Each structure stands twice: as structure tokens, then as C-alpha cells.
Amino acid sequence: MEMAAYTVDALAQLRDRAPLVHNITNFVVMETTANILLAAGASPVMAHCRAEVEEMVALAGALVLNIGTLQEDWVEAMCVAGEKANALGKPVILDPVGAGATTLRTRAVRTIMARCRIAVLRGNASEVLSLVSADVRTKGVDSSLALSDDGVAAVKALALEAGCIVAVSGAEDCITDGGQVYRVANGQPLMTKVTGIGCGLSAITAAFCAVAGPGAGDHLAAATAAFAYYGICGDRAIQTSDKPGTFFPVFLDRLYDTGPETIRAMLKVRAA
Amino acid sequence: MEMAAYTVDALAQLRDRAPLVHNITNFVVMETTANILLAAGASPVMAHCRAEVEEMVALAGALVLNIGTLQEDWVEAMCVAGEKANALGKPVILDPVGAGATTLRTRAVRTIMARCRIAVLRGNASEVLSLVSADVRTKGVDSSLALSDDGVAAVKALALEAGCIVAVSGAEDCITDGGQVYRVANGQPLMTKVTGIGCGLSAITAAFCAVAGPGAGDHLAAATAAFAYYGICGDRAIQTSDKPGTFFPVFLDRLYDTGPETIRAMLKVRAA
Amino acid sequence: MEMAAYTVDALAQLRDRAPLVHNITNFVVMETTANILLAAGASPVMAHCRAEVEEMVALAGALVLNIGTLQEDWVEAMCVAGEKANALGKPVILDPVGAGATTLRTRAVRTIMARCRIAVLRGNASEVLSLVSADVRTKGVDSSLALSDDGVAAVKALALEAGCIVAVSGAEDCITDGGQVYRVANGQPLMTKVTGIGCGLSAITAAFCAVAGPGAGDHLAAATAAFAYYGICGDRAIQTSDKPGTFFPVFLDRLYDTGPETIRAMLKVRAA
């Protein structure tokens, strides 16, 4: 697939259709996630109460489940929302924030993945590799948190086993369905110094999936396009500020004004 | 009423008295709401626990109830806080975020309005019209979400029925007690691309009500002045940035430094 | 102790070791706190669920307990996390947001202090003095919320009674173990016009304590260094913007780029 043309078209559709993205996400990033979605051209809604998540997801184009600042009762609401999204054919994006750090979070990811069909699992390398065996975990991430070759192989195996796209943020992002692998070299290390930029990418991935087709191939392309667009906005923002406080508002401006020519000129995606 | 002179005087009183505004509001906008109130010159406090809302509202000059990211147990805390505010003669501002989208939210608004006397109901056109009959809803908002003439009539009828000021944000804001109608043409469409700017206006309306008299006429003037001041700050901010990320910090600066001369020069309010 | 040299060295260690700071904090400031910690060079995590706080604090270098937007079930999670931190020898910083305003908050502070050994209690003058007798309270703060001589004496007595460092933000900050008193003159009044800057200082104090030794003398120096560094960043930021919206991103930039020479040139600490 020609990813520059795909990304340009997907972003145009996103801005034209302004899909509603339903987020059940952590308290730290709710505001940032909403602003990231708005700047890109999507419509955010946050709703976590068991009593309304089914109605809300029925109005949405995609669902994000993010397990930061988790509470036990939220897991049930996430599963119910995910099941409803599955029934309605809407893509579900899972962000396993802090998986591997505590039993609560690791179990929550397993529960959600057992009960809901996930379209895209998006996290950083340590979060994603916490979901595979301990041996792979040790070998899968080097000291700079980049994926080693063993790490890429583990991510592919996880995608096949889980039956979903796995999308790993890092120095060079890795997005795979278990067979095809895309690597995205756009993006800046400074993006890890602002809270919510990682979680925001899960939401942007959801917005791209909301305007894509329903198959795994569609989700693979949509996730790759989301990562490329997002990374390009980071690459552009750092030209204005290389410090985290002033970087973030500029990054939102770039989500808002990045257009076709810029994407064609700056996109760095390779099929690996 | 001469709204420019009123607005200048009300803002001076707000900055002089720095009223404490008690917010029971949604997770997405808590920080933004606090920063908006601080920049304008008011004092924010957020407290939602049933065990402390009565004590907290007793210290405050006004109460904001906002139903975004709603949980069932928060509705009871909102009602208790609202009843206490009523007993103490403090104005209650209700922001029906997402009313009409889910049963939980629509019912919460009805419960709160049944138990508490609301001074000002502030929302966008679709939220406010979700509280009237389905027929009006369809006719009340055109595709740009502006109020049609039918919409204005419906908003007036709602104000009379509910016995409160209804204040609707839009291309031209509409604030009414059911008889008198004020339209405010200040403000920018970009303000809808930053989360929390709408909710922040409910909090600013509360701050203006906190320094106004206790009658419906006082609340009508206070809400209109709040909308005008807020819109002027948006009109000024967009002169510095027309993109959402950098717009917002500049908007806060304008809330902080907008003074009498600017209000007199820029205010666009008409009695309709 | 020579505080400039100590502060320079402590900040270098903080940036080198990037300690994980576990925050159980209020909804309003979660994002801001995370961004403040990241900009300074620390690693933030927010986790409040009883089921995971013990595991999380075991991974962390320090724990922050902040009682804003309090719910009753969070107090138990705070105490359990604090007890675990005590057992593991990790410093606990308590921020008594709104203590004195409601019974719930005042009681929560007393419960936490009864069950957990606090390293540093950090608040503003009215919050801290709410924990001592009513008579002192009245005399301890003048109309500008600066500590009077009686106020300093009360803060020293509280430090001795509670067996912890007490650190009070104000026009001139006051940090004491009950014997030695440091006063820090860095910092700007505008910092009180942005929500979360006060709470963020509690988190930065935690980060400095995480890289200091375990004794009260170590915590006294670490808290003083945290206040000086933080105030210097405010003093630098106001050179770029003296309005609250644009001040805050610049303040984050200064947390990120303030180095040894600047600290040596700008630090204003006196032993009182």
C-alpha cells in the first residue's frame, strides 16, 4: 500500500466526517486526549459509567479503552462497552497503560482481551511486551526502549495470538498484524516528556479506524497512517519549540493545520 | 439595561471580591475550569464528595453543576449541594453536558431541576433543546447549530417553564428569562475546538452571578455580561492565534487582562 | 549547609536517576503534576486504587498524598500506600489541600498523619495553620497570607509535634524541621493564578526527597532545594510572560532547562 496517499485520504475523511470517539480513559489524560482529537478534526466524548456506556458507544465511530488510573469497577464498564462496540461492528482500541507494573493492570488487559475483540492494541514497548512471556520481555527491549529484532518477532507473535493489530510506539514505531510489518520513523523523543501524548495517539488511531473499513487490513493501514500523521506533527512542532511546555500547544496547532503536501513531503514509513 | 456599563462594573466587582465558585464538574475540564476562573479573578474549588459538598458550598459565592463524565453517585451529591445553595440563597448554574445523548444524562438533568432551583441553565443548542419536545428539537437547530427562530421560541418557553435563565452558546448566543432576550455576537468558532471552553463559560457565569443580586433580572444581566466578556476575550485571543493549541493560553491571558476600555469598544450585545 | 551547591547536585541526581514519583492526588492537577515532574526530569505515575497502590509504591522512589477532590474511599488507599512506603523506607509527602475548609479534609489529614510517617508536609499558610490551634491560626497569617512571626513559631511547633518537615509556600517560603528554618525568596505571586503549581511543588519535593538520604536533615535540605529550584523557574518564566495562560508552558520549559549556573546566580535562600 502507498502509505502517503492513504494517509492523506484518511485524514481528509476524518476531517470531513468528524467521527465521534468514545474514550474510557484515565483521569490524567482526559483533557489532553479531547484536545488532541478536536485539533485533528474528530469529536471526543468521555463516558465511563456502566449505566451509559452502551448508549454512548452506539453513537460513536470507535471506542478507546485505556487502563491508566484504573479502578476495579471501570473494568466491567470497559468490557460492556467493548462488547457493545463488537456487536455494532465498531473498532475498539486498547491502550494498556502501565501493564506489567501491577497485577490489577495486567489482569485488566487480559480480562478485556478475553471479553472483547480488539482492533488495535497500542502501547510502548515495555507495556506491550509485558503481555508476552518473561523471556521475550527481557530480550525484547534494549536500554533505549527500542524494539530489538527479538522484540519485533514477539510483537508479531502477539498480534497473531491476539488476532489484532499491535502498534508499538518507540524510536521507530512498529505496527503489525502478525504478517506485514510497518515501521514509522516520524516522531520526536520530546513527545515522551509531555503526559498524554502517547495516550492521545491511541485516540487518534481510533479516529482513523472509525473512518476505515472493518477488516484487519483496514485497521493495519489506519493505525500506520495515524502514527505517521501524529509523528509528522511532532516533527513539525519541534521546529518551533524543543522544550516540553511550549512544544505541546504547538503540537496541537500542527495536528490542526497539517495538510496533504506536508504529509507527502515528510512521511517516513517503510514496510519491514 | 446598558450592557457595556453593567459588564464593566460586574467584572470590576468580580476581581475585587474574588468569589469562591464551587464546581461539581466533569473530569475532563476540572483543570481548565480552575484556570479560567483564576485568570478572570475568581477563586475555584472542586469538591464532589457527598460528605463535604454542603460545607463547601456554604463557603462559596455560587455553585456549578456539570454533568459530563457522570457517575450515578455524583447526582445525589449535586442535588444535596444544590439544595444547600438554595437554602443559603446562592445561585446554582447547571451545565447539561451531553443531555440528550444518554438516558443517564437526560434523567440527571431532570432530577437536578426537580430538586434544585436553578439560576442559569447554560449549554449549547443541542443540549438545551434536548430538554424540550422532540418536535422543537428537530426544528430548533440548523445545520450550523445556530438557533432558528423556532429555537429561540423554544428556549424562551423552557425558561418560563423551568423558571430560570436559559443561556445558549452558539454563533450568536441567546440569553433569556422567557421574556427579555439578549443576543451576544462576541466569540469565535475556534472556541469549540478546545475542550472546556464551553464548560468554563458556565463557571464564569457562576462567578458573575456570585457578585450580582439574587433576582432573575440580576441573573439575566449577569449571564449576559459573562457571555459578552468571555466572547470578547475570544475575539481578542484570535488576533494572536487562530489555531487551537496556542489559542487557549492566549485566551487565558485575555481573561486576565481585558479591561473596561476593551469591553466598551468590543461588546456586541443586542436586546432581541 | 550551602544550599546553592546542594540544589545543583540534587537536581543533577534527579535528572540522572529519573525517580518514579507515585501520586495519589486530586483530579484537577493530575495532568499538570505529571507534566511538571516530566519537565524536571522525574517519572510520574498516578494510581489510587486500593488494589494496586502497594505494588505501585514499591516501584517508586517517593509517594505524594494530596487530598484535593477527596473521596472517602481514597483515604484508605492513601493510608495503605503510605504504610507500605514507610515499611520500604520511601519518603511520603503530604499536601493538605483545602484542610480547614471541610471536616472531611481536616479529618483525612489527621487520619493520614496518625497512620503514616510523613517526611514533608507541604501546603500554603492557611492549610498548614488549620492543623494547629484556632488561636494560632488567627494570628499566624497576615492579610497577604504571608507568615507572621507567630506563624513561623506555629509552623516550627507543628514540625516538632508531627515529627516531620513542614514546608509552607508563600511570599517567602518557610521550610523547617522544628529547629532549623530556611526561608526561600524565589517564586512569583503569579504562580498562585495557575491551578496545580502549588500541588506540583509537592511532587517536585517528592522527587528531590527520592534522590536524598533517609533522615530528617536530608528531607529538610531536599525540600528547601525543591522550593528554591521551583521558585527560580518561576522567576525565569515571568521574564517571558507575566500573564497566567502563557506563563505556564514557559514555566515547564524553565523546569526543563534550568541548569547549575542559573541556580547559583538566582538562588535566594537564607537560614532564619
Side-chain angles (χ1 to χ4, degrees):
Chain A
M1 179 172 299
E2 211 287 280
M3 281 308 307
Y6 177 91
T7 303
V8 165
D9 182 60
L11 183 59
Q13 285 204 45
L14 190 163
R15 286 176 177 157
D16 184 48
R17 291 162 60 185
L20 185 67
V21 177
H22 176 187
N23 300 274
I24 308 182
T25 190
N26 72 76
F27 298 122
V28 186
V29 305
M30 284 188 183
E31 182 203 329
T32 297
T33 302
N35 280 331
I36 285 170
L37 286 167
L38 285 167
S43 285
V45 71
M46 276 64 186
H48 63 277
C49 185
R50 172 71 184 82
E52 72 171 353
V53 291
E54 288 168 290
E55 274 179 281
M56 196 61 91
V57 80
L59 302 172
L63 173 68
V64 177
L65 305 178
N66 174 309
I67 64 160
T69 64
L70 196 63
Q71 297 176 191
E72 283 148 321
D73 52 329
W74 285 47
V75 178
E76 178 63 20
M78 288 183 184
C79 287
V80 168
E83 288 165 347
K84 185 73 175 182
N86 286 170
L88 298 170
K90 296 167 194 262
V92 180
I93 282 67
L94 175 61
D95 189 330
V97 176
T102 68
T103 309
L104 177 70
R105 299 203 190 193
T106 305
R107 270 196 200 146
V109 172
R110 297 202 184 286
T111 300
I112 293 166
M113 294 182 78
R115 289 180 56 182
C116 312
R117 198 168 57 255
I118 303 301
V120 184
L121 174 72
R122 195 219 64 90
N124 63 37
S126 69
E127 290 160 348
V128 170
L129 292 179
S130 78
L131 305 175
V132 300
S133 75
D135 186 51
V136 173
R137 242 174 281 169
T138 314
K139 296 183 184 165
V141 187
D142 72 18
S143 58
S144 68
L145 287 180
L147 280 175
S148 64
D149 288 347
D150 280 354
V152 173
V155 170
K156 289 177 73 172
L158 179 62
L160 286 175
E161 186 194 325
C164 68
I165 307 304
V166 179
V168 181
S169 297
E172 190 180 32
D173 308 317
C174 172
I175 303 106
T176 183
D177 60 3
Q180 176 72 55
V181 177
Y182 286 110
R183 305 298 300 259
V184 178
N186 296 109
Q188 297 290 329
L190 190 65
M191 296 165 82
T192 65
K193 298 300 177 195
V194 181
T195 200
I197 288 194
C199 298
L201 177 50
S202 296
I204 290 294
T205 300
F208 275 79
C209 285
V211 296
D218 301 306
H219 296 153
L220 176 63
T224 304
F227 273 66
Y229 158 65
Y230 207 70
I232 288 168
C233 294
D235 294 339
R236 292 185 68 208
I238 209 158
Q239 295 168 8
T240 303
S241 170
D242 62 356
K243 287 168 186 157
T246 49
F247 174 85
F248 184 64
V250 173
F251 176 66
L252 289 175
D253 285 359
R254 295 299 84 80
L255 290 171
Y256 186 72
D257 69 10
T258 290
E261 298 74 17
T262 307
I263 289 171
R264 285 189 206 101
M266 295 182 71
L267 181 131
K268 295 183 194 164
V269 177
R270 67 183 174 97
Chain B
M1 182 172 297
E2 211 287 279
M3 281 308 306
Y6 178 91
T7 302
V8 165
D9 181 59
L11 182 59
Q13 285 204 44
L14 190 164
R15 287 177 176 156
D16 184 48
R17 292 163 58 184
L20 184 68
V21 177
H22 176 188
N23 299 274
I24 307 182
T25 189
N26 72 75
F27 298 121
V28 186
V29 305
M30 283 188 184
E31 183 203 328
T32 297
T33 303
N35 280 330
I36 286 169
L37 286 168
L38 283 168
S43 287
V45 71
M46 277 62 186
H48 63 277
C49 185
R50 171 70 184 81
E52 70 171 355
V53 291
E54 288 167 290
E55 274 178 281
M56 197 62 90
V57 80
L59 302 172
L63 173 68
V64 177
L65 304 178
N66 174 308
I67 65 160
T69 65
L70 197 61
Q71 297 176 192
E72 283 149 320
D73 52 330
W74 286 46
V75 178
E76 178 63 19
M78 287 183 184
C79 289
V80 168
E83 289 166 345
K84 183 74 176 183
N86 285 170
L88 297 171
K90 295 166 195 264
V92 180
I93 282 67
L94 175 60
D95 189 329
V97 175
T102 67
T103 310
L104 177 70
R105 299 203 190 193
T106 305
R107 269 195 201 149
V109 172
R110 297 202 183 283
T111 301
I112 293 166
M113 293 182 78
R115 289 181 54 182
C116 312
R117 198 168 58 253
I118 303 300
V120 184
L121 174 73
R122 194 219 66 89
N124 62 36
S126 70
E127 290 160 347
V128 170
L129 292 177
S130 78
L131 304 175
V132 301
S133 77
D135 185 51
V136 173
R137 245 174 280 169
T138 315
K139 296 183 184 166
V141 189
D142 72 19
S143 59
S144 68
L145 288 179
L147 281 175
S148 64
D149 287 349
D150 280 353
V152 173
V155 169
K156 289 178 72 172
L158 178 62
L160 286 175
E161 185 195 327
C164 67
I165 307 304
V166 179
V168 181
S169 296
E172 189 180 32
D173 309 316
C174 173
I175 303 106
T176 182
D177 60 2
Q180 176 72 56
V181 176
Y182 286 109
R183 305 298 300 258
V184 178
N186 296 108
Q188 297 291 329
L190 189 65
M191 295 166 82
T192 66
K193 297 300 176 194
V194 180
T195 198
I197 288 195
C199 298
L201 178 49
S202 296
I204 290 294
T205 300
F208 274 80
C209 285
V211 296
D218 301 305
H219 296 153
L220 176 63
T224 303
F227 274 67
Y229 158 65
Y230 208 70
I232 287 169
C233 294
D235 294 339
R236 293 184 68 208
I238 209 157
Q239 296 169 8
T240 303
S241 170
D242 63 356
K243 289 170 183 154
T246 49
F247 174 84
F248 184 64
V250 173
F251 175 65
L252 289 176
D253 285 358
R254 294 300 83 80
L255 289 171
Y256 186 72
D257 69 10
T258 290
E261 296 74 17
T262 308
I263 289 171
R264 284 189 206 101
M266 297 182 70
L267 181 132
K268 295 183 195 165
V269 177
R270 65 182 176 98
Chain C
M1 182 173 298
E2 211 287 281
M3 281 310 305
Y6 178 91
T7 303
V8 165
D9 181 61
L11 182 60
Q13 284 203 47
L14 190 164
R15 286 176 177 157
D16 184 49
R17 292 161 60 184
L20 184 69
V21 177
H22 176 187
N23 300 274
I24 308 182
T25 189
N26 72 74
F27 298 123
V28 185
V29 305
M30 283 188 185
E31 184 203 329
T32 297
T33 303
N35 280 331
I36 285 170
L37 285 168
L38 284 167
S43 286
V45 71
M46 276 65 186
H48 63 277
C49 184
R50 172 70 183 82
E52 71 171 355
V53 291
E54 288 167 292
E55 275 178 280
M56 197 61 92
V57 80
L59 302 173
L63 173 68
V64 177
L65 305 177
N66 174 310
I67 63 160
T69 65
L70 197 62
Q71 297 177 193
E72 282 149 319
D73 52 330
W74 286 47
V75 178
E76 179 61 19
M78 287 183 185
C79 288
V80 167
E83 288 166 347
K84 184 73 175 182
N86 286 170
L88 296 171
K90 295 165 194 265
V92 180
I93 282 67
L94 176 60
D95 189 329
V97 176
T102 68
T103 309
L104 177 70
R105 300 203 189 193
T106 305
R107 271 195 199 146
V109 172
R110 297 201 183 285
T111 300
I112 293 166
M113 293 182 78
R115 288 181 55 182
C116 313
R117 199 169 53 254
I118 302 302
V120 183
L121 173 73
R122 194 219 67 88
N124 62 37
S126 70
E127 290 160 348
V128 170
L129 292 178
S130 79
L131 304 175
V132 299
S133 75
D135 185 53
V136 173
R137 246 174 279 169
T138 314
K139 296 184 183 164
V141 189
D142 73 18
S143 59
S144 68
L145 286 180
L147 281 175
S148 63
D149 287 348
D150 280 354
V152 173
V155 169
K156 289 177 73 171
L158 179 62
L160 286 175
E161 185 194 327
C164 69
I165 307 303
V166 179
V168 182
S169 297
E172 189 180 31
D173 308 317
C174 173
I175 304 107
T176 182
D177 60 3
Q180 176 73 54
V181 176
Y182 285 109
R183 305 298 300 260
V184 179
N186 297 110
Q188 296 290 330
L190 190 64
M191 297 166 82
T192 65
K193 298 300 176 194
V194 181
T195 199
I197 288 195
C199 298
L201 178 50
S202 297
I204 290 295
T205 300
F208 274 80
C209 286
V211 296
D218 300 305
H219 296 152
L220 176 63
T224 304
F227 274 65
Y229 158 66
Y230 207 70
I232 288 168
C233 294
D235 293 339
R236 291 185 68 207
I238 210 158
Q239 296 168 8
T240 304
S241 170
D242 63 354
K243 287 167 185 156
T246 49
F247 174 84
F248 184 64
V250 173
F251 175 64
L252 289 176
D253 285 359
R254 295 297 84 80
L255 290 172
Y256 186 71
D257 68 10
T258 290
E261 297 75 16
T262 309
I263 289 171
R264 284 190 206 102
M266 296 182 70
L267 182 130
K268 295 184 195 162
V269 177
R270 64 181 176 99

